[in-house]
């Protein structure tokens, strides 16, 4: 955002996190690309709808999407396959252990598949403590995961007047679930980012993790991994709302490309991006053995290079997750809204306030931010988000 | 340059009234040119209602004192101020105490002194960003630091330095102490080394114990040095940013959100530039209390020193 | 008496060794990490000993010293996002900026300190008021500074009809670093210069030396060790500075702290190994310089707050 002040024109293209788009667009640092797109006719058709929406702000095309970073659940298949464990689990919870449908079932798995060092776990002796679950819980991270859970309750975060809905029963439930699951996590996880979470899972310390999709590849081939070939990818769990199972992943980071307002060659920048992010080059980048872009287009499934890199099972799952991905509140000032959520969730995670109180405080802060930014402007932007279906058919508008 | 001009310039420079001002002009010029304008800009921006997402600052609407009113009622700001002062106070106190202790043990020559001195100064020479990353590995609850503590105590130590409110605050302070004790140590060693030997010897001749020498001779002589160590470190510690940012991003919750992080978030993450400007000005007002206190202390000590000036100079010329 | 002295000697070594261990522990960890591959950076259990716990590797050093950027084969990288290994640029930029800024600050500050010491330039309170410059938290002026630096070129074009940039340039950062370190230079140099007897200067002046010559030939040589000490301190402050560099540069100028902070990868988060390798490499010269002037360091760091 420094470019909004500096206006150097040194950049033609910005590569940023997806959720930066609304602020960048409002600041006028990036330009709408519709005019060019009308001529260029880029192919977005096979990008899942909600991810495609993330390229737009208030109905205008601003950015190119390159990296499907939606969350995924990874499980230790080797532990699930222990026959006595399966039997005991089924007897206890009444379903065959495997990829869980609901958050509740993930918690059941986590409560079962854990143990202490030296313990005999259904035929194998644990050589270290085994934790049931891992999920990002630290400052700057926890709130991102929360949004997927909340979305699976099929509720919008705001109504048409930008009144927060998060303090309702759905928001409290999502928070409570996250608090409950921490029972099965390493205690220190409240301070961990990726550099701690990834190796912790890859070194066989935990049974399951909801993380960025790259966790699967990391567990498979990172230097020092102990779980290579033992990990199964799962579609993220969901919630049963009105008899229907609703699963939602969240797009916690992911990168996009935008064209600078101060670029001397905006059109050239556009054409470059269309070529660069289009199926041909984009797929090559995703297939690059050292690449970090994650797959998101269904056509990625048909690309043998990508299939070879990731394995079919993971690919199917992550593309399924791409179809159900929700964005991180694509509104101006989203990082301010979400920071309030972040801080209050932290307090709730640490048991310093109740989930109800956390959500109530967050809602109050959101209202204040909305008034400060300008309610009508935000209502307009929010209408675009809801109408485009970025949160599917979530209720509350 | 023609010779005449050069000579005239030389003569002009020779005049005391000119010469004494020559170094002052560029320094003051630089300070004014570089800091005065941004400062005035800060003042102006604080009166606007400008977010980075709301056009360019020249076009932002005027908001009067509303930002200041908001800032005064902002609990997060007030908390971050208190937190910063507590962090800085604790860290500086520890740094001066430890630095003083180490200095007392090292200022005289003994075998191995050079080695100790070399090692003790290393932390302040490492770039804080590196220290931040380094400590974020060391501080994991099953990580190196707790392992070592466990080994020493014979118990299973699981202090959650990065993830528990109080422990994270302690961790930030300790990291700061680790990095900056070298500076207070250096200042105090330097002071102790420079102490005149005569008063100490005189006291010893009169039969003073080691403690009495320290308490009634060395300590008073050293007071100004302690003051400067305090002032220098306090000025720097109040700005603490890199370490908590890299270790905990201000978390868990807001447990380690220092003032600089608060202002950083508001300006660069939330884009609330005007608000951040108003908050920083309020903070400056608050800081000025510290600034004036420091200046008052320094002046008092310097004045006492300068009263000694003639004697000191006489001594010099005797040597 | 001798026994007590011996006991004190033991006590001294015990305490100092304890602190030595505290100091060296993180440093050793940094060096250790610089020889570890990705999976060993953060691990359960901790990997302590090379060869026993982990296979030491030079990969990190090869990565940071690789000249020319990306390798096509991918041999020197763990993943594609690691391509920005422009450590040389960081070293050169930081080296140039910090060296020039520190030297300029030293010369300006020393000259002013001389004027203050001998002529009370700026009045009695000047040394105190200038300290306020240092007390200003950089974040307070970061954004106005950015606005200022980016609008200055327009001012220069309008008034002097010259094109100069300040944002994202060497001199932009140098000027700022000079100003923010001047207070310390003045304070430290004031102490050294105050200690120089005026009689020497008077003698030189009587023999016909100009004021400048006196300063150059008599005063500065006498405080040379003090200048080295001051230089080291100011150098360290500038060398570590992060916030202002982060705000006021990009993409042309890249200092080491900013570069180090960029060492993040999409998959592994922080690249601890290369970071540690850089940390080790760039700390060494500073430590060596400190070692060389150690004798002066332990005498000259009292900011003049001592009765001699």
């Amino acid at each position: 955002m420094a470019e909004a002040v500096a206006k150097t024109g040194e950049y033609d293209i910005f590569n940023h996190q997806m959720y930066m788009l609304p602020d960048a667009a409002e600041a006028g640092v990036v330009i709408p690309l519709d005019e060019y797109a009308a001529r260029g006719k880029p192919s977005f058709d096979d990008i899942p709808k909600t991810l495609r929406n993330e390229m737009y702000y208030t109905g205008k095309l601003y950015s190119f999407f390159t990296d499907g970073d939606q969350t995924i659940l990874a499980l230790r298949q080797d532990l699930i396959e222990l026959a006595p464990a399966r039997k005991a689990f089924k007897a206890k919870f009444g379903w065959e252990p495997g990829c869980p449908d609901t958050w509740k079932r993930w918690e059941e798995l986590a409560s079962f598949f854990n143990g202490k060092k030296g313990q005999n776990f259904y035929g194998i002796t644990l050589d270290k403590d085994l934790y049931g679950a891992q999920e990002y819980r630290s400052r700057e991270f926890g709130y991102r995961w929360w949004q997927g859970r909340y979305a699976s309750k099929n509720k919008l975060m705001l109504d048409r007047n930008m009144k927060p809905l998060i303090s309702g029963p759905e928001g409290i439930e999502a928070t409570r679930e996250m608090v409950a699951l921490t029972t099965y996590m390493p205690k220190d996880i409240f301070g961990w980012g990726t550099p701690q979470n990834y190796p912790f899972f890859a070194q066989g310390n935990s049974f399951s993790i909801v993380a960025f999709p790259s966790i699967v590849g990391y567990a498979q081939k990172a230097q020092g991994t102990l779980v290579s070939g033992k990990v199964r990818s799962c579609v993220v769990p969901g919630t049963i709302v009105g008899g229907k199972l609703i699963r939602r992943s969240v797009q916690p980071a992911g990168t996009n490309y935008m064209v600078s307002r101060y670029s001397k060659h905006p059109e050239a920048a556009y054409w470059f991006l269309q070529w660069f992010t289009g199926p041909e080059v984009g797929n090559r980048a995703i297939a690059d053995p050292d690449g970090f872009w994650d797959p998101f287009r269904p056509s990625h499934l048909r690309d043998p290079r990508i299939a070879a890199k990731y394995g079919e099972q993971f690919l199917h799952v992550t593309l399924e997750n791409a179809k159900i991905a929700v964005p991180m509140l694509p509104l101006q000032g989203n990082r301010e809204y979400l920071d309030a959520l972040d801080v209050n969730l932290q307090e709730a995670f640490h048991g310093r306030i109740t989930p109800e109180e956390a959500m109530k405080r967050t809602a109050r802060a959101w209202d204040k931010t909305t008034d400060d930014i300008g309610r009508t402007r935000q209502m307009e932007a929010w209408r675009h988000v809801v109408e485009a279906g970025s949160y599917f058919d979530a209720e509350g508008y | 340059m023609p010779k005449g001009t050069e000579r005239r310039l030389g003569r002009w420079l020779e005049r005391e009234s000119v010469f004494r001002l020559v170094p002052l002009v560029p320094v003051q010029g630089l300070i004014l040119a570089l800091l005065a304008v941004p400062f005035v800009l800060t003042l102006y921006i604080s009166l606007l209602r400008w977010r980075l997402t709301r056009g360019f600052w020249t076009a932002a609407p005027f908001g009067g004192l509303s930002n200041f009113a908001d800032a005064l009622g902002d609990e997060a700001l007030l908390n971050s101020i208190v937190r910063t002062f507590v962090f800085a106070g604790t860290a500086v106190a520890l740094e001066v105490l430890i630095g003083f202790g180490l200095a007392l043990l090292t200022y005289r020559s003994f075998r191995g002194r050079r080695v100790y001195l070399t090692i003790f100064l290393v932390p302040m020479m490492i770039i804080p960003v590196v220290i931040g990353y380094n400590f974020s590995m060391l501080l994991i609850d099953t990580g190196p630091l707790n392992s070592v503590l466990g080994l020493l105590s014979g118990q299973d130590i699981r202090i959650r330095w990065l993830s528990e409110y109080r422990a994270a605050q302690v961790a930030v302070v300790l990291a700061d102490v680790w990095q900056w004790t070298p500076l207070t140590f250096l200042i105090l060693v330097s002071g102790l080394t420079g102490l005149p030997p005569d008063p100490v010897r005189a006291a010893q001749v009169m039969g003073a114990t080691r403690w009495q020498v320290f308490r009634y001779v060395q300590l008073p002589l050293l007071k100004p040095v302690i003051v400067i160590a305090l002032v220098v470190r306090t000025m720097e510690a109040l700005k603490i940013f890199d370490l908590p940012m890299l270790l905990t991003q201000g978390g868990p919750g807001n447990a380690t959100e220092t003032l600089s992080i608060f202002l950083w978030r508001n300006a660069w993450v939330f884009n609330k530039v005007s608000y951040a400007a108003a908050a920083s000005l309020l903070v400056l007002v608050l800081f000025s209390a510290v600034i004036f206190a420091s200046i008052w202390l320094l002046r008092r000590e310097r004045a006492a020193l300068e009263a000694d000036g003639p004697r000191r100079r006489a001594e010099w010329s005797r040597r | 008496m001798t026994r007590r002295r011996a006991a004190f000697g033991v006590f001294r070594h015990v305490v100092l060794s304890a602190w030595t261990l505290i100091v060296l522990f993180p440093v050793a960890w940094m060096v250790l990490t610089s020889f570890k591959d990705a999976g060993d950076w953060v691990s359960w259990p901790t990997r302590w000993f090379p060869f026993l716990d982990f296979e030491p590797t030079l990969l990190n050093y090869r990565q940071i010293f690789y000249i020319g950027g990306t390798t096509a084969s991918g041999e020197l990288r763990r993943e594609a996002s690691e391509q920005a290994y422009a450590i040389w640029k960081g070293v050169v930029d930081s080296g140039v900026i910090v060296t020039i800024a520190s030297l300029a600050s030293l010369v300006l500050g020393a000259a002013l300190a001389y004027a203050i010491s001998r002529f009370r330039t700026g009045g009695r309170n000047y040394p105190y008021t200038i300290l306020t410059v240092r007390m200003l938290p950089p974040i307070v002026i970061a954004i106005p500074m950015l606005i200022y630096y980016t609008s200055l070129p327009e001012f220069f074009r309008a008034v002097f009809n010259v094109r100069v940039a300040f944002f994202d340039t060497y001199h932009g950062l140098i000027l700022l670093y000079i100003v923010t370190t001047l207070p310390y230079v003045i304070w430290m140099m004031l102490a050294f210069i105050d200690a120089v007897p005026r009689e020497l200067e008077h003698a030189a002046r009587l023999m016909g030396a100009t004021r400048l010559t006196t300063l150059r030939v008599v005063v500065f040589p006498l405080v040379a060790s003090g200048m080295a000490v001051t230089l080291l301190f100011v150098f360290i402050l500038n060398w570590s500075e992060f916030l202002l560099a982060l705000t006021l540069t990009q993409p042309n100028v890249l200092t080491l702290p900013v570069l180090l902070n960029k060492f993040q990868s999409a998959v592994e988060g922080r690249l601890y190994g290369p970071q540690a390798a850089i940390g080790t490499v760039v700390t060494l010269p500073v430590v060596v310089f400190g070692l060389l002037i150690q004798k002066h360091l332990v005498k000259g760091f009292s900011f003049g707050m001592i009765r001699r």
Side-chain angles (χ1 to χ4, degrees):
Chain A
M1 290 297 282
E3 185 70 1
V5 179
K7 299 202 275 196
T8 58
E10 292 276 2
Y11 301 92
D12 292 317
I13 292 167
F14 295 111
N15 171 8
H16 239 305
Q17 312 269 292
M18 226 84 76
Y19 52 80
M20 296 293 288
L21 170 57
D23 279 353
E26 288 284 353
V29 189
V30 294
I31 50 168
L33 306 171
D34 299 282
E35 237 178 80
Y36 304 125
R39 279 181 281 144
K41 303 199 175 47
S43 78
F44 298 148
D45 296 343
D46 63 343
I47 301 179
K49 180 179 69 174
T50 55
L51 298 187
R52 202 168 56 217
N53 288 345
E54 288 194 60
M55 306 196 288
Y56 295 80
Y57 178 67
T58 58
K60 292 192 206 107
L61 176 69
Y62 276 99
S63 71
F64 282 99
F65 186 93
T66 51
D67 174 20
D69 218 357
Q70 60 285 335
T71 47
I72 197 168
L73 169 65
L75 295 181
R76 285 281 298 282
Q77 182 69 10
D78 58 322
L79 295 174
I80 286 188
E81 275 168 7
L82 293 171
R86 293 187 73 85
K87 223 174 114 196
F89 184 90
K90 174 117 196 249
K92 190 168 178 194
F93 296 107
W95 56 284
E96 284 284 339
C99 286
D101 292 341
T102 62
W103 297 109
K104 180 81 206 139
R105 286 195 164 183
W106 183 27
E107 198 182 323
E108 286 171 4
L109 284 171
S111 72
F112 186 87
F113 288 95
N114 65 60
K116 288 268 162 248
K117 179 178 174 175
Q119 183 189 328
N120 187 317
F121 187 80
Y122 299 98
I124 55 166
T125 307
L126 298 178
D127 59 347
K128 52 179 129 190
D129 289 354
L130 177 72
Y131 290 89
Q134 259 180 282
E135 198 178 29
Y136 285 66
R137 284 288 188 279
S138 65
R139 182 95 158 93
E140 291 285 346
F141 282 106
Y143 71 94
R144 304 178 191 223
W145 271 248
W146 183 89
Q147 293 173 79
R149 272 180 196 260
Y150 180 80
S152 78
K153 320 282 179 216
N154 211 29
K155 192 87 172 177
L156 288 170
M157 288 192 272
L158 297 147
D159 74 3
R160 71 174 61 228
N161 296 315
M162 288 291 292
K163 280 283 164 207
L165 300 172
I166 47 171
S167 50
E170 295 85 359
I172 294 165
E173 182 57 23
T175 310
R176 201 172 279 147
E177 282 172 10
M178 284 185 85
V179 173
L181 193 65
T182 50
T183 321
Y184 310 107
M185 296 182 182
K187 290 282 166 289
D188 204 34
I189 203 158
F190 296 115
W192 291 359
T194 302
Q196 292 84 17
N197 270 317
Y198 271 37
F200 192 78
F201 182 72
Q203 290 169 24
N205 296 293
S206 83
F207 164 74
S208 60
I209 182 172
V210 172
F212 300 97
S214 59
I215 182 64
V216 177
Y218 182 91
Q220 179 66 27
K221 58 172 191 165
Q223 190 257 334
T225 178
L226 298 174
V227 297
S228 189
K230 298 176 180 172
V231 172
R232 173 163 171 197
S233 317
C234 297
V235 179
V236 287
T239 311
I240 293 174
V241 182
K244 215 175 109 201
L245 176 64
I246 293 176
R247 299 174 187 255
R248 294 287 177 258
S249 67
V250 67
Q251 181 81 339
T255 53
N256 66 359
Y257 286 84
M258 305 177 279
V259 175
S260 168
R261 158 139 321 182
Y262 308 108
S263 163
K264 281 145 200 138
H265 321 282
E267 181 152 8
Y270 169 83
W271 289 109
F272 169 74
L273 283 184
Q274 178 168 340
W275 167 80
F276 183 58
T277 64
E280 182 44 37
V281 180
N283 290 11
R284 214 185 313 146
I286 289 171
D288 182 339
D290 300 313
F292 65 100
W293 286 359
D294 300 306
F296 58 92
R297 292 180 199 244
S299 61
H300 292 157
L301 197 50
R302 294 189 299 271
D303 190 319
R305 294 168 303 183
I306 297 181
K309 175 180 173 190
Y310 292 99
E312 292 253 338
Q313 201 260 332
F314 165 77
L315 213 47
H316 272 287
V317 168
T318 199
L319 292 176
E320 200 52 46
N321 281 329
K323 280 188 218 154
I324 54 171
V326 294
M328 291 223 302
L329 194 63
L331 289 176
Q332 181 192 172
N334 50 5
R335 300 189 71 192
E336 189 183 349
Y337 288 105
L338 295 174
D339 188 75
L341 177 64
D342 190 10
V343 171
N344 288 309
L345 278 177
Q346 288 272 306
E347 300 269 299
F349 291 163
H350 284 85
R352 294 158 66 98
I353 55 177
T354 61
E356 287 85 352
E357 180 62 21
M359 292 299 109
K360 214 189 296 168
R361 286 187 195 180
T362 310
R364 255 202 315 267
W366 283 23
D367 251 338
K368 200 161 166 281
T369 303
T370 304
D371 286 330
D372 194 47
I373 293 177
R375 194 168 285 272
T376 37
R377 179 85 188 128
Q378 291 291 69
M379 279 163 59
E380 166 74 6
W382 184 238
R383 185 176 62 79
H384 278 285
V385 172
V386 175
E387 281 177 1
S390 288
Y391 288 92
F392 301 90
D393 49 2
E395 287 159 11
Y397 191 66
Chain B
M1 209 186 303
K3 260 221 139 70
T5 331
E6 201 176 313
R7 204 175 313 127
R8 231 173 307 134
L9 186 73
R11 218 174 310 132
W12 183 69
L13 260 178
E14 277 305 280
R15 299 204 336 238
E16 188 180 314
S17 60
V18 175
F19 188 77
R20 67 191 289 266
L21 291 180
V22 169
L24 184 68
V25 173
V27 168
Q28 272 316 97
L30 261 180
I31 292 177
L32 281 179
L34 249 74
L35 297 182
V37 179
F39 187 76
V40 174
L41 264 178
T42 309
L43 271 173
Y44 177 67
I45 290 173
S46 73
L47 299 174
L48 302 175
R49 296 193 62 78
W50 178 43
R51 284 172 178 255
L52 281 181
T53 51
R54 208 180 278 156
F56 204 54
W57 63 283
T58 41
F62 197 70
L65 295 174
S66 63
N67 287 317
F68 290 92
D70 284 354
L72 283 174
D74 188 342
E75 221 176 293
L77 170 64
L78 302 180
N79 285 337
S80 76
I81 291 174
V82 173
R83 207 175 288 132
T84 306
F85 274 90
V86 173
F87 282 10
T90 323
V92 172
L94 283 173
E95 281 156 24
V96 171
L97 277 177
I98 299 173
F100 197 24
L102 295 173
L104 280 174
L105 292 174
T106 34
Y107 77 98
R108 266 181 282 216
S109 68
F110 61 96
R111 265 173 69 100
R113 176 172 183 257
R114 232 177 114 75
V115 179
Y116 287 125
L117 283 172
T118 308
I119 293 171
F120 287 1
L121 299 185
V122 169
M124 74 173 189
M125 298 176 180
I126 303 179
I127 296 176
V129 175
V130 177
I131 294 178
Y133 285 125
N134 207 26
F135 272 74
S136 74
M137 285 181 277
L138 290 170
L139 296 176
I140 293 173
D141 72 337
T142 53
L145 179 60
N146 279 348
S147 310
V148 169
L149 291 179
L151 206 65
L152 292 177
S153 68
Q155 284 161 337
D156 187 18
I157 301 268
R158 287 286 183 92
I159 303 170
R160 287 155 46 203
W161 299 108
L162 299 172
S163 60
E164 201 266 321
Y165 277 62
R166 185 67 62 188
Q169 293 170 334
V170 173
V172 168
V173 170
L174 289 185
D176 192 72
V177 169
W178 183 83
Q179 181 167 27
W180 289 112
T181 298
L183 182 60
T184 56
F185 164 73
L186 187 54
I187 294 174
L188 289 160
V189 152
S190 183
L192 279 163
T193 320
L195 281 185
D198 304 354
V200 177
R201 233 173 279 141
Q204 280 167 341
V205 168
M206 289 195 290
T209 61
R210 224 191 163 96
W211 164 251
Q212 283 169 330
V213 169
F214 171 71
R215 173 68 188 78
Y216 298 106
V217 181
Q218 286 178 310
L219 200 57
L221 285 172
L222 213 55
K223 209 173 93 194
V225 185
I226 299 175
V227 168
I228 193 85
L230 274 173
V231 169
V232 168
R233 270 310 299 151
T234 309
M235 289 197 303
E236 302 295 322
L238 286 172
K239 303 185 223 167
I240 187 167
F241 175 79
D242 317 15
L243 284 175
M245 195 66 192
L246 295 169
L247 281 179
T248 55
Q249 312 224 37
N254 271 342
T256 55
E257 189 179 79
T258 62
L259 198 51
S260 288
I261 296 183
F262 174 89
L263 294 175
W264 167 268
R265 278 218 165 97
N266 273 278
W268 288 120
V269 179
F270 308 160
N271 303 319
K272 294 161 74 174
V273 184
S274 283
Y275 181 72
S280 6
L281 287 172
L282 285 180
V283 168
L284 271 190
V285 172
L286 198 71
F287 270 32
S288 57
V290 183
I291 294 173
F292 284 126
S294 317
I295 289 178
W296 178 77
L297 267 175
L298 281 177
R299 284 185 61 147
R300 207 184 55 177
E301 300 301 332
R302 286 282 300 191
L305 285 181
E306 264 155 35
D308 264 5
R311 189 180 58 82
R312 184 166 29 135
R313 236 167 272 132
E315 253 170 44
W316 249 103
S317 47
R318 238 186 292 134
R319 273 183 222 171
Chain C
M1 187 68 192
T2 36
R3 189 179 302 162
R4 272 185 62 187
R5 188 164 293 169
F8 175 72
V10 172
F11 168 75
R12 165 153 66 196
H13 280 292
V14 168
V15 174
L16 296 184
S17 310
W19 186 254
T20 303
L21 289 179
I22 292 176
V23 165
L24 284 187
F25 180 43
V27 177
W29 186 259
M30 175 176 81
V31 178
L32 217 53
T33 305
S34 73
F35 290 107
K36 285 180 178 177
D37 202 351
D40 301 322
W41 297 338
V42 177
S43 64
W44 292 262
T46 308
R47 309 263 154 86
W48 290 100
F49 306 106
F51 301 107
L52 292 177
D53 285 351
F54 67 92
E55 201 54 49
T57 171
L58 287 174
L59 187 63
N60 301 314
Y61 287 95
R62 285 172 60 209
Q63 274 185 318
I64 63 168
F65 284 122
Y66 185 74
I67 306 169
T70 340
T71 59
S73 66
E75 188 210 347
L76 280 182
R77 51 186 188 163
R78 297 185 184 88
E79 48 163 314
S81 56
E82 289 180 11
Q83 76 280 58
Y85 277 15
I87 180 190
W88 293 109
K89 174 152 181 56
V91 169
V92 170
D93 283 8
S94 258
V96 170
I97 291 172
V98 172
T99 309
I100 297 180
S102 309
L103 283 173
S105 178
L106 181 66
V107 170
L108 274 176
L112 183 53
Y114 178 77
I116 292 172
S117 167
R118 300 303 190 246
F119 311 118
R120 291 247 163 265
T121 299
R124 293 185 66 85
N125 289 333
Y126 189 77
Y128 306 104
T129 42
I130 201 168
L131 269 185
T132 50
V133 167
R134 186 70 208 177
M135 295 190 190
L136 205 67
I139 179 70
V140 169
I141 53 160
I143 287 187
M145 205 69 220
L146 177 61
I147 296 175
Y148 180 50
Y149 264 19
T150 49
S151 14
L152 261 184
E154 284 168 41
F155 171 77
F156 273 91
R157 196 165 40 217
V159 180
F160 304 111
N161 197 23
V162 283
R163 289 174 59 93
V164 264
F166 286 88
F167 176 73
D168 200 19
T169 58
Y170 279 179
H171 54 267
L173 217 49
I174 288 173
L175 285 174
L176 205 53
Y177 282 177
I178 293 177
V179 167
T180 50
T181 49
L182 262 173
Y184 284 149
V185 176
I186 291 173
W187 267 82
M188 293 180 73
M189 288 314 299
L190 195 54
F192 297 118
I193 291 172
D194 267 347
V196 173
R198 282 151 208 241
E199 287 77 358
L200 296 174
E201 287 160 61
H202 292 321
R205 297 275 293 144
L206 280 177
M207 291 199 278
T210 63
R211 286 185 190 276
L212 265 179
T213 315
T214 312
L215 200 59
R216 212 181 56 233
V217 180
V218 178
V219 182
F220 281 177
L222 280 174
V223 293
S225 65
M227 288 174 93
V229 171
T230 311
L231 184 69
L232 178 72
F233 185 48
V234 169
F235 189 92
I236 289 173
L237 289 175
N238 287 336
W239 187 242
S240 307
E241 204 286 326
F242 175 53
L243 238 168
L244 289 172
L246 186 66
T247 315
L248 297 176
T249 61
Q250 185 177 53
N252 293 331
V253 175
L254 184 68
T255 68
L256 272 174
V258 177
L259 172 79
L260 277 160
N261 192 45
K262 281 191 178 161
F263 268 62
Q264 310 237 357
S265 92
V267 169
E268 279 143 1
R270 290 168 182 176
L271 296 170
Y272 289 124
Q275 270 166 342
I278 297 180
T280 308
V281 170
V282 302
T283 307
L284 270 176
V286 192
V287 174
V288 170
F289 183 47
L291 191 62
L292 288 179
I293 62 163
Q294 191 190 64
K295 204 172 74 205
H296 307 296
L297 264 184
V298 295
K299 272 191 268 167
F301 233 97
S302 55
F303 289 81
M305 300 301 264
I306 201 82
R307 293 185 178 88
R308 283 177 204 277

